[in-house]
Amino acid sequence: MTTLDTARLAEGLREQTAGFARAAAGGDPGARVPTCPDWPLRTLVGHIGQAHRYAAEVLRKGEPQPVPDPRQAAPGAPDRWAAWLRDGAEELIGAVQEAGADTEVWTFLGPRPAAFWLRRMLNDTAVHHYDAAVTTGGGFGIADDLAADVIVEGLEMLVSPGAEALKPQLVELRGNGERLGLQPRQGDGWVIIRSPEGMWWEHGPVEADVVLSGAVAYVMLVCNRRLPLDDDRVTVTGDRALLEHWLAHMAI
């Protein structure tokens, strides 16, 4: 589970929602999002505000809810997007507080503390913040602790019981002891180990068959398939094909 406490998760959700809103501001609602090519900008904005409200509804109802279609979201006119996004984030934060952050609730990975939804929506918002920025030419930024947690949550989901049932192609990530390293510029990184039984990971010094290195925000973006491996903001050393295979099969 995250090392970030509930207060930091809530603060981070506010930070990234506001950043997303700034990045989307002034953009053409019909502009295609390069990193989500099936969506225009309006649908991307709709997805974020809708997803926050969906998670809040799950917490209030205490059971699964129908997954909404972002194409049917109603974010309003572009000059109202920021307020609509902010209201959705605050609705989710309030729902987590009302439920109790440690209270066990339904999630698509099985029972988890209610704070799961705060973290999940924060990290989804962070990645889509980048999508909005590349669509409009707006700015993107994320604190190192939040970027690191996006990476950690992704690794946790990959090795969660039931993850392969949720996404069968994850079976392709089994291996014979191959090691992939993610190394931020400062501090320890993460090593993913592929075994015949499945995949696991550890945090610490990175010794691996292939290593992706760079500022933690850029490593995060590569892990979420937002930056290509040949982007000059990251470096790949070792068995590049091993990393390419992992990236091609790890999305949940």
Side-chain angles (χ1 to χ4, degrees):
M1 183 58 178
T2 180
T3 58
L4 305 180
D5 61 23
T6 304
R8 179 57 178 140
L9 292 173
E11 178 184 47
L13 182 64
R14 292 183 174 113
E15 289 174 11
Q16 286 302 302
T17 301
F20 177 94
R22 287 192 299 271
D28 176 0
R32 289 289 160 183
V33 179
T35 43
C36 299
D38 293 334
W39 284 359
L41 180 61
R42 179 183 176 85
T43 298
L44 180 68
V45 172
H47 165 68
I48 292 299
Q50 189 184 61
H52 293 172
R53 289 166 170 85
Y54 164 79
E57 187 73 355
V58 167
L59 289 168
R60 285 193 295 264
K61 296 290 181 62
E63 59 186 13
Q65 298 299 305
V67 177
D69 182 346
R71 293 168 297 184
Q72 297 178 1
D79 63 355
R80 291 291 303 156
W81 283 355
W84 184 75
L85 290 163
R86 182 184 63 246
D87 290 348
E90 292 301 328
E91 185 175 331
L92 173 56
I93 292 167
V96 172
Q97 292 171 339
E98 184 176 346
D102 297 326
T103 300
E104 196 169 83
V105 300
W106 176 87
T107 81
F108 54 86
L109 290 174
R112 295 285 192 280
F116 168 95
W117 285 108
L118 190 55
R119 185 191 194 195
R120 177 82 289 277
M121 292 299 101
L122 161 58
N123 293 344
D124 189 54
T125 303
V127 173
H128 287 311
H129 176 185
Y130 178 78
D131 295 331
V134 297
T135 303
T136 65
F140 171 75
I142 184 170
D144 286 355
D145 62 334
L146 300 183
D149 196 57
V150 176
I151 295 171
V152 171
E153 187 202 34
L155 295 175
E156 289 176 351
M157 287 198 291
L158 284 174
V159 301
S160 294
E164 289 183 357
L166 186 68
K167 194 68 177 286
Q169 75 176 38
L170 294 179
V171 173
E172 298 293 329
L173 294 180
R174 296 182 182 187
N176 294 291
E178 298 92 343
R179 298 169 63 90
L180 300 90
L182 307 174
Q183 179 61 67
R185 286 181 180 161
Q186 296 182 341
D188 288 336
W190 302 270
V191 178
I192 302 108
I193 301 97
R194 297 171 59 167
S195 74
E197 296 77 27
M199 194 171 39
W200 54 284
W201 64 277
E202 57 191 24
H203 181 245
V206 172
E207 294 183 9
D209 300 301
V210 60
V211 177
L212 170 68
S213 57
V216 66
Y218 299 137
V219 173
M220 176 205 87
L221 289 171
V222 171
C223 288
N224 284 274
R225 302 190 295 184
R226 263 51 185 189
L227 288 183
L229 292 178
D230 58 3
D231 191 284
D232 61 10
R233 290 168 289 187
V234 295
T235 302
V236 178
T237 54
D239 188 349
R240 184 186 180 99
L242 180 62
L243 182 57
E244 289 173 340
H245 182 271
W246 182 70
L247 290 170
H249 293 84
M250 50 76 70
I252 294 183

